[in-house]
């Protein structure tokens, strides 16, 4: 949808490099982040965000301790309004499925929002 066919590969490489530089997220006093990688993943309708592939990549290629924030805030705007695939908000079942996918991949630090 972004007209960037190599986006997933570039994104995976960028996340791997970020993790190499800063490691897993470290949380200090008062639950404040000190240093490390935090991945935010926006769920899209009908699995269009590639959640399974992404969660498996994070668990297997980065770290099972990767802190992942799975976001349900998607709302269609601009050209997505009325789009046959992107023209709706996600369903609660799609969000729950994304959380299950992360757990099945072996990720231990998943934050639900």
């Amino acid at each position: 949808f972004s007209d960037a066919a190599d986006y997933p590969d570039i994104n995976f490489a960028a996340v791997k490099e970020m993790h190499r530089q800063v490691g897993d997220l470290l949380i200090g006093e008062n639950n404040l982040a000190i240093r490390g990688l935090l991945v935010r993943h926006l769920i899209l309708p009908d699995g269009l965000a590639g959640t399974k592939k992404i969660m498996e990549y994070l668990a297997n290629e980065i770290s099972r301790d990767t802190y992942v924030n799975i976001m349900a805030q998607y709302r269609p705007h601009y050209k997505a309004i009325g789009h046959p695939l992107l023209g709706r908000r996600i369903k609660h079942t799609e969000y729950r499925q994304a959380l299950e996918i992360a757990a099945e991949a072996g990720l231990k630090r998943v934050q639900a929002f």
Side-chain angles (χ1 to χ4, degrees), residues 2-97:
S2 63
D3 199 26
D6 57 351
Y7 177 80
D9 293 332
I10 289 173
N11 194 353
F12 285 153
V15 169
K16 185 171 258 188
E17 177 60 20
M18 286 185 271
H19 185 261
R20 185 193 69 76
Q21 290 182 27
V22 298
D24 291 326
L25 183 67
L26 299 175
I27 306 281
E29 292 182 33
N30 300 319
N31 288 324
L32 295 177
I34 296 172
R35 175 187 172 95
L37 179 66
L38 166 79
V39 175
R40 301 182 78 206
H41 179 66
L42 180 65
I43 302 304
L44 295 176
D46 293 319
L48 292 173
T51 301
K52 183 171 174 58
K53 182 178 179 180
I54 292 167
M55 296 306 137
E56 288 176 351
Y57 178 81
L58 292 173
N60 298 323
E61 301 295 328
I62 305 299
S63 167
R64 292 185 188 274
D65 288 319
T66 300
Y67 192 101
V68 182
N69 171 229
I70 296 182
M71 303 182 301
Q73 296 94 325
Y74 175 75
R75 286 164 183 70
H77 291 284
Y78 188 49
K79 291 183 180 181
I81 296 172
H83 188 281
L85 300 174
L86 296 173
R88 67 169 176 85
R89 295 174 67 174
I90 67 163
K91 299 173 185 171
H92 182 70
T93 55
E94 292 171 317
Y95 183 67
R96 297 296 318 157
Q97 183 180 29

Side-chain angles (χ1 to χ4, degrees), residues 94-108:
E94 292 171 317
Y95 183 67
R96 297 296 318 157
Q97 183 180 29
L99 295 174
E100 290 170 11
I101 288 169
E104 289 169 2
L107 291 168
K108 302 174 188 173

